[in-house]
Amino acid sequence: MKFFSLLLVSFLFIPLFASATEAQKPQVTYFDQEIYYIDYNGHIRINGNFFGWEKGKIINIDKNIEVPIDTVNAAGGQWTDYTVYGAIPVNNAAFSVGSNRLVVETADGVRSDPFIVFGKKLHKITSITPSTVNFGDQIDIIGEDFG
């Protein structure tokens, strides 16, 4: 009888131990769908589950390259098991204006399903003339990316 109960206990604990050590696939439940940037860093927030407490990576799967995300110097930046928040440096090769298919990759190399984030540039005003106006006067605004 002792042999049978020991055998039964062994079979009950093996699946529990195995599931606790297997890496869970990250699940993205929310993400910023558009990121605006021009001469400064854009910020991204990704919420979900099973990202891991050790910092992993965000991968642009169309370019097969890691998106640099600064979770250290960005105000409020973090990588937790359920949230990634950080700055994406402007003018990097991994994230661009337009559609970007991204995945969350844990430190163990397990990837989430892809999700799409759109990079957009903000308008940049370079000059406004004249510098002094009265109500109703016409002004010229010169800049970049007005569309």
Side-chain angles (χ1 to χ4, degrees), residues 32-52:
D32 295 329
Q33 295 180 355
E34 296 179 333
I35 299 173
Y36 294 89
Y37 62 95
I38 186 162
D39 286 335
Y40 54 87
N41 299 337
H43 288 81
I44 187 168
R45 175 177 302 281
I46 306 168
N47 293 341
N49 298 302
F50 312 117
F51 298 160

Side-chain angles (χ1 to χ4, degrees), residues 95-110:
F95 191 83
S96 57
V97 172
S99 176
N100 295 271
R101 284 191 322 145
L102 307 179
V103 294
V104 175
E105 182 178 290
T106 67
D108 297 330
V110 181

Side-chain angles (χ1 to χ4, degrees), residues 16 18 25 28 35-36 48 53 65 67 69 79 83 85 91 107 113 119 127-128 134 137 145:
L16 292 175
K25 181 177 180 177
V28 175
I35 299 173
Y36 294 89
W53 291 101
I65 190 169
V67 178
I69 296 192
W79 184 290
T83 299
Y85 178 76
N91 296 329
D113 291 332
S127 69
I128 300 175
N134 294 314
D137 288 351
D145 299 307

